[in-house]
Amino acid sequence: MSVNAKMFNQAKTLRLHTGNIVNRSRIKKKCPGSPSEELQDCIQATLSDWFSQTKLNIENFKDTLDCSIPEATDAITPEEREELKVSAKLFLCESDKSSIKEAVNLACQTLAVSQLDSVIIAPPGPPEGATQALAHLQPAWEELEALVHSQQIAAIGTSDLDKDLLEQLYNWAQVKPSSNQVNLASCCVMPPDLTAFAKEFDIQLLTHNDAKELMSAAAFQQALQEGTQDLSVADWRLEWVLRYSIIVKSRGIIKSKGYLVSARKASP
């Protein structure tokens, strides 16, 4: 068994950075599918490249495995920072709010910036049989507000809130949402009450095509299995996924886009 395989088997946490997928030939050759398919391809390709290219020393190994391809990083230089807008959408797979700070810290560190221009949060769905309520959103929103106060995020937004829930969040929140993403699959036309409320309170309405569950446990394990050449993956659980994009402000083009992924091995 290779050293990398041994370390994967010993690891308790996995951190994966796909690098700039705009430039990755392996991923570009495929026809663009859904965001979920793109993420699965990215995880599989990054792990596969990492296993074949990276040589690690097992003696210094703790329990977190960092899988990133060195030449694929997107570090932003201080000279170009002003010209770029760094946006992220954070998908939480579990309701552990400490993941938010962890994900934002990792994104800032990976991209070599002190602040993300905007972060949209997609918290896990409500418990079985319950409807989404303000109480489900509040812990995550408070965590985001703290990151705005510490100047790690400039603006924060929500995803898939209807007018009533957006209004409740707006009235309760200290830091108001600057945007709300609406899934075009669920409504081809923006609901008029949502449009009117957003206009009145200066909330930008954006569209997206992400699935309610960006990645199922089965799809994640399949990507791990293919990327690691069939090592044991049954105990790994996806914690969060942060998708970022870096846009050149003056030209409106995407300079780079990628994913940061965190997973944890369930204790036996």
Side-chain angles (χ1 to χ4, degrees):
M1 184 184 281
S2 73
V3 171
N4 289 14
K6 278 184 186 158
M7 288 168 75
F8 180 82
N9 288 338
Q10 283 181 25
K12 293 188 171 60
T13 305
L14 174 67
R15 292 282 158 73
L16 182 138
H17 175 217
T18 60
N20 182 4
I21 64 174
V22 173
N23 291 342
R24 287 200 52 189
S25 54
R26 286 183 59 172
I27 293 173
K28 277 169 81 172
K29 280 176 197 155
K30 292 199 157 194
C31 292
S34 67
S36 302
E37 288 165 343
E38 177 182 75
L39 175 59
Q40 190 169 349
D41 288 344
C42 285
I43 291 173
Q44 189 263 319
T46 302
L47 276 172
S48 191
D49 289 351
W50 182 82
F51 267 89
S52 62
Q53 293 175 24
T54 313
K55 298 289 170 275
L56 296 171
N57 180 353
I58 202 160
E59 287 164 24
N60 307 329
F61 181 61
K62 299 283 188 275
D63 58 6
T64 298
L65 202 55
D66 285 303
C67 297
S68 62
I69 313 301
E71 63 272 19
T73 54
D74 300 311
I76 293 169
T77 64
E79 297 76 41
E80 62 180 350
R81 179 63 182 98
E82 281 300 299
E83 313 296 318
L84 302 172
K85 181 180 182 193
V86 183
S87 307
K89 183 170 182 180
L90 177 56
F91 302 86
L92 296 177
C93 307
E94 297 172 352
S95 48
D96 178 6
K97 64 176 187 172
S98 66
S99 296
I100 297 170
K101 187 175 174 58
E102 193 179 273
V104 169
N105 282 343
L106 189 61
C108 287
Q109 189 186 321
T110 304
L111 303 175
V113 296
S114 58
Q115 185 184 63
L116 304 178
D117 294 306
S118 76
V119 173
I120 284 173
I121 188 97
E128 199 69 36
T131 53
Q132 186 74 284
L134 182 61
H136 296 133
L137 300 172
Q138 285 169 323
W141 198 258
E142 285 172 333
E143 199 68 22
L144 286 175
E145 289 180 325
L147 292 166
V148 171
H149 293 315
S150 65
Q151 300 190 326
Q152 275 187 282
I153 307 175
I156 49 181
T158 57
S159 184
D160 299 315
L161 301 194
D162 61 19
K163 184 257 177 187
D164 291 347
L165 199 47
L166 184 60
E167 186 172 9
Q168 287 172 35
L169 177 67
Y170 187 91
N171 291 336
W172 166 81
Q174 276 189 310
V175 179
K176 308 299 183 189
S178 66
S179 60
N180 179 42
Q181 280 193 338
V182 179
N183 190 327
L184 276 181
S186 61
C187 64
C188 301
V189 180
M190 291 277 184
D193 60 344
L194 181 62
T195 310
F197 178 79
K199 189 175 178 183
E200 185 181 349
F201 293 97
D202 199 24
I203 299 168
Q204 193 180 10
L205 290 182
L206 306 166
T207 58
H208 75 91
N209 63 338
D210 299 313
K212 270 218 179 317
E213 181 181 46
L214 185 66
M215 189 170 225
S216 67
F220 176 61
Q221 291 190 346
Q222 186 186 341
L224 280 189
Q225 197 146 32
E226 289 171 2
T228 59
Q229 285 101 37
D230 294 335
L231 292 176
S232 169
V233 298
D235 296 332
W236 285 99
R237 300 283 175 273
L238 193 57
E239 290 186 300
W240 53 260
V241 174
L242 182 141
R243 181 177 64 218
Y244 61 86
S245 58
I246 300 171
I247 294 166
V248 181
K249 289 179 191 170
S250 59
R251 295 161 64 201
I253 57 165
I254 294 181
K255 177 177 184 277
S256 69
K257 169 187 167 181
Y259 292 90
L260 291 164
V261 176
S262 180
R264 198 173 294 276
K265 194 184 277 182
S267 307

